Amino acid sequence: QVQLVESGGGLVQAGGSLRLSCAASTRTCSIYFMGWFRQAPGKERELVAAISGIGSSTSYANSVKGRFTIFRDNAKCTVDLQMNSLKFEDTAVYYCAAGRAGHNWYVPDDLADFETWGQGTQVTVSS
């Protein structure tokens, strides 16, 4: 089991950028695929971006393609989400999550794939 801690949230104007970081407490980073989720009040938790255990493959929600980038550093076991061209609709609590699969190239695409969650960090985009 891995423990996750997010940071980097805050208040930003529409069109601005934020970088979220997730630190994972494990010595076997590459066996975990990782993802970033977000949840706004009254809405379901949404998978924003995911990355395979070795960082070879990524997946993005259609709403953030071309604006957000997920990347990881397995030496430090951090997983970041670079968010550019932020919109009011991006306002939510953002969570990082992790899970394990039989292959380190696997990219998760469903909430049920994930086993461990961070505490969340608030991102607020003003318009």
Side-chain angles (χ1 to χ4, degrees):
Q1 193 172 19
V2 61
Q3 184 175 350
L4 308 174
V5 180
E6 306 100 328
S7 62
L11 175 65
V12 64
Q13 292 184 346
S17 298
L18 282 175
R19 181 172 172 175
L20 306 182
S21 184
C22 176
S25 59
T26 179
R27 295 180 296 172
T28 53
C29 195
S30 64
I31 70 172
Y32 295 95
F33 54 78
M34 304 287 291
W36 283 95
F37 289 78
R38 65 187 181 188
Q39 188 166 24
K43 296 184 178 180
E44 295 182 351
R45 189 166 296 189
E46 173 191 21
L47 178 61
V48 176
I51 188 167
S52 62
I54 59 174
S56 58
S57 298
T58 58
S59 180
Y60 297 92
N62 288 335
S63 59
V64 307
K65 286 181 179 177
R67 299 189 297 120
F68 292 9
T69 303
I70 187 171
F71 56 97
R72 65 190 295 163
D73 182 343
N74 282 355
K76 299 186 294 184
C77 206
T78 56
V79 182
D80 288 6
L81 184 69
Q82 179 65 47
M83 305 186 295
N84 298 326
S85 301
L86 282 162
K87 304 175 181 179
F88 173 77
E89 298 93 320
D90 297 318
T91 297
V93 177
Y94 283 71
Y95 301 87
C96 65
R100 297 180 64 173
H103 302 283
N104 57 16
W105 43 259
Y106 173 72
V107 181
D109 60 3
D110 187 79
L111 187 149
D113 292 333
F114 296 87
E115 301 173 339
T116 305
W117 299 81
Q119 84 285 358
T121 185
Q122 176 71 46
V123 172
T124 302
V125 183
S126 63
S127 60

